[in-house]
Amino acid sequence: MSKDKSGDKSARDSHYATLRRAHRDARRERGEIPTPRPDKRRNLPADWKPPALAPDEVLLYGLHTVRAALDNPDRKIIRLSVTQNAAARLELGEFSALPFPVETVTPQDLDRVLGPDAIHQGVMLETRPLPHRKLEALSDCPLILLLDQVTDPHNVGAIMRSAVAFEAGALITTMRHSPTESGVLAKSASGALELIPYIQITNLADTIEELHKLGFQTIGLDSEGPHPLEDTFSGEKIALVLGSEGKGLRQKTRQTVAALARLDMPGAIKSLNVSNAAAIAMYAARQHLKG
């Protein structure tokens, strides 16, 4: 008598469906495929405004972003709002066993808080900003990245992901004309915000001078740089400085860095998105550092 394996097949199909969904979600987090937006998300009032947040409060959303925040011991969590489906995908277990309040909500509840453009995937985390880090703590890092007024949080988030991939010790930006810690930045970083210090400073030129005292060679990327980047490296600690798209590095920054260098590109297009340029520059820096 043959054994009925229909139950085994159902479990196996469910397992593969879960894997496919996880793979699809990861690709959407990285921006490789579009995320469909249900029509009901467009039914929010035309005059929707984001909620007023306290200076010490941040709203994070998205499965990967929230999972990374929950796993970060430096995160101080206020409250988690989650749908039943998202709770199962986050594998939260019993809510009563968690060290923070959990509220079960509907997707529409989160739409009303986060707005029509937030791809929240059924989860929102209210949290405190991550603690500030001082430059002195970076003295042992061989590679760091500085941004000169890169304002788009999507670009900064993408740069942050690359910085984690290349084991940069920190991402440093100015307080003005740079995105603060936010849900958009964290979602674009796809978990990387929890893995690298995001340091916002008052004066970039002063910070560059401090890095010189800590032994860093600071290199500003400039399309008119006198030498290719790979021929510019020296020493065992590198700080790469990238400017905003269009304007590039400010004059004061150009005057303060130890060297200016260019990324040589043989093709017809001679400029790259700042996040792509950052990834290439960090790869080149890593090649030098391991040499």
Side-chain angles (χ1 to χ4, degrees), residues 31-102:
E32 296 174 359
I33 58 174
T35 301
R37 180 175 291 118
D39 290 342
K40 61 188 176 184
R41 291 174 61 83
R42 300 172 184 165
N43 293 335
L44 293 175
D47 60 349
W48 177 89
K49 294 181 179 179
L53 298 177
D56 63 343
E57 184 179 2
V58 178
L59 296 182
L60 304 180
Y61 53 84
L63 290 169
H64 195 65
T65 300
V66 169
R67 179 73 269 171
L70 293 177
D71 291 339
N72 184 358
D74 291 332
R75 271 287 174 197
K76 296 190 183 306
I77 297 168
I78 303 171
R79 179 187 301 273
L80 176 66
S81 301
V82 63
T83 64
Q84 291 183 344
N85 182 51
R89 295 170 72 179
L90 286 169
E91 299 181 346
L92 294 174
E94 291 293 331
F95 291 173
S96 59
L98 297 173
F100 46 80
V102 180

Side-chain angles (χ1 to χ4, degrees), residues 200-258:
Q200 294 193 287
I201 44 85
T202 303
N203 187 291
L204 186 62
D206 289 348
T207 299
I208 291 172
E209 294 288 10
E210 289 185 54
L211 291 173
H212 291 160
K213 295 175 183 177
L214 293 173
F216 283 90
Q217 181 200 21
T218 59
I219 303 175
L221 264 68
D222 187 279
S223 60
E224 304 299 324
H227 302 289
L229 177 61
E230 58 269 28
D231 296 338
T232 307
F233 296 119
S234 66
E236 299 179 352
K237 293 197 288 188
I238 304 296
L240 298 167
V241 189
L242 291 94
S244 62
E245 293 184 58
K247 295 181 180 179
L249 298 174
R250 290 176 293 166
Q251 185 62 29
K252 181 65 173 177
T253 305
R254 291 165 55 89
Q255 294 171 346
T256 310
V257 294

